[in-house]
Amino acid sequence: MFGALFEAQPSRAASGQNDLVMDTHPLQLTAHGLVLREWTSDDLAVMQELFDDPDVAYRTPLASPFGQAAALRYLHSAERARRDNDRIHLAITTDGHQALGEVLLNRATGSIGYIVGAAHRGQRLAVRALRTMTEFAHTTLALPKVILEIEPDNQPSIAVARSVGFHPSGSAPESVTDKGRTYGLLAWEHNLITADQG
């Protein structure tokens, strides 16, 4: 259960600026120059700026257009998912305040997703957020494997996956139909054993 895991005291590894630090109430992860924190009602306007984007609409199941009502529904969904131990939605920040994107983990499936706002791309935010969430999934939640689901033509996301040490799973693409578009998703995986050896 998340609750039991989150009762642990925040911990810091022996040394290094990229060591994962976890604050648990509310959940906050600090590593790789980022502070990943939970969304709050103060973020509704910035959520709209980040998620009401043609690329986000094309590549994700998020509502489009993504207005105030959609932001409020999304916030409530994220809060409910955390309470129900289903998913963790964290805003990507460098300072613990200004949200630049989102990284999320579905604990049941072990899948990770991320979005970086158009104005904030090119800073390796996705790589750093994915690395932080992957480390959290392996070390704190003890998930032996985490996955990404990426369209074969999504070269930026494939580059992010490779940078963090994910590799293609070898399984057949999953066919998805969303917003009138049918496309395939390839699974990329990151295994705890591989991470330990690397």
Side-chain angles (χ1 to χ4, degrees):
M1 296 288 288
F2 277 7
L5 289 166
F6 291 162
E7 291 302 320
Q9 290 297 313
S11 60
R12 185 186 299 271
S15 64
Q17 66 176 4
N18 291 333
D19 297 337
L20 180 65
V21 179
M22 180 183 68
D23 292 326
T24 58
H25 301 290
L27 178 62
Q28 180 173 292
L29 306 178
T30 303
H32 307 291
L34 297 181
V35 180
L36 308 181
R37 61 162 178 83
E38 293 185 69
W39 293 106
T40 74
S41 57
D42 292 337
D43 295 311
L44 291 173
V46 76
M47 268 188 188
Q48 294 174 64
E49 294 174 17
L50 295 170
F51 297 161
D52 192 28
D53 174 272
D55 291 336
V56 173
Y58 185 73
R59 296 286 187 190
T60 76
L62 289 178
S64 180
F66 195 93
Q68 184 177 11
L72 190 58
R73 285 193 302 271
Y74 192 79
L75 176 63
H76 290 164
S77 174
E79 291 171 341
R80 186 169 55 252
R82 170 74 191 277
R83 285 195 307 270
D84 294 344
N85 302 327
D86 291 335
R87 296 184 313 278
I88 301 169
H89 295 254
L90 299 178
I92 301 170
T93 83
T94 57
D95 60 5
H97 301 289
Q98 178 65 33
L100 310 173
E102 178 187 62
V103 61
L104 67 91
L105 170 67
N106 183 318
R107 190 178 182 210
T109 63
S111 61
I112 297 175
Y114 50 85
I115 295 168
V116 173
H120 311 296
R121 293 170 192 161
Q123 304 175 52
R124 295 182 61 82
L125 293 171
V127 169
R128 292 186 281 156
L130 176 59
R131 192 181 305 279
T132 301
M133 187 63 91
T134 299
E135 292 168 356
F136 173 72
H138 285 324
T139 61
T140 303
L141 300 185
L143 297 181
K145 178 175 75 174
V146 289
I147 63 169
L148 303 171
E149 294 180 313
I150 305 174
E151 290 184 68
D153 68 340
N154 190 345
Q155 294 304 318
S157 278
I158 289 172
V160 168
R162 290 190 188 281
S163 292
V164 180
F166 282 75
H167 60 274
S169 69
S171 60
E174 178 186 355
S175 181
V176 174
T177 300
D178 180 57
K179 301 176 187 171
R181 188 168 77 93
T182 299
Y183 51 94
L185 290 173
L186 289 174
W188 289 67
E189 62 184 47
H190 192 284
N191 298 291
L192 182 57
I193 294 175
T194 303
D196 288 342
Q197 292 174 343

